[in-house]
Amino acid sequence: MMKDAGNETPIARAILFLLIGPISWGGHFFLVYAFQSVTCALRGGNYLVMSPAVVAAGVILLTLVFALLLLLALRFPRPVARMLRYAPSGKDNQEFSIHVAQLLIVLSLVGVVWTGTAVLLPDACGQLR
């Protein structure tokens, strides 16, 4: 017996829900390095008088915001699915999707924290000189 295609969730919603963690991780990665590069370049050109601590603080703030969003998505996956209008058919499909999304969110959370803490190790603007 074939399923009614009209009752199936569109594939774009499923992909977006399952990859909410890696998409967030990619967004964090882009914003952190864009922010660091721009502020260090402006600082190096004497356009701004800014210490490397301000650059590090900005990166840490971005990291905390993204980590909090990922932790919320990890803790409350069903509201995220409803927000994205993702409703797979069947209890098994729903549970499997939630577990896969949560696993990818945990992996992404590690990546976000790793990227954010890297600013604390060397000089924040040392590589761009």
Side-chain angles (χ1 to χ4, degrees):
M1 186 166 134
M2 294 189 65
K3 292 183 177 182
D4 182 18
N7 290 337
E8 291 295 316
T9 301
I11 192 74
R13 290 181 189 163
I15 291 172
L16 186 60
F17 174 71
L18 291 173
L19 296 180
I20 195 78
I23 290 169
S24 299
W25 180 11
H28 173 262
F29 191 83
F30 173 77
L31 288 174
V32 161
Y33 284 105
F35 172 77
Q36 180 186 13
S37 297
V38 168
T39 53
C40 288
L42 291 176
R43 182 178 163 266
N46 291 326
Y47 298 110
L48 296 173
V49 178
M50 186 181 311
S51 72
V54 173
V55 177
V59 171
I60 291 169
L61 181 66
L62 277 170
T63 300
L64 290 175
V65 167
F66 273 83
L68 178 64
L69 291 174
L70 286 171
L71 285 171
L72 285 172
L74 180 65
R75 178 68 176 102
F76 305 107
R78 284 178 178 77
V80 173
R82 280 193 300 274
M83 181 182 71
L84 297 173
R85 295 185 309 198
Y86 174 65
S89 60
K91 180 104 171 117
D92 291 340
N93 289 342
Q94 186 178 24
E95 291 300 316
F96 177 76
S97 297
I98 286 173
H99 286 99
V100 168
Q102 286 178 321
L103 180 65
L104 289 172
I105 288 170
V106 168
L107 175 67
S108 301
L109 188 59
V110 170
V112 164
V113 171
W114 184 271
T115 301
T117 56
V119 77
L120 300 174
L121 300 177
D123 179 21
C125 296
Q127 305 92 337
L128 299 173
R129 289 187 190 150

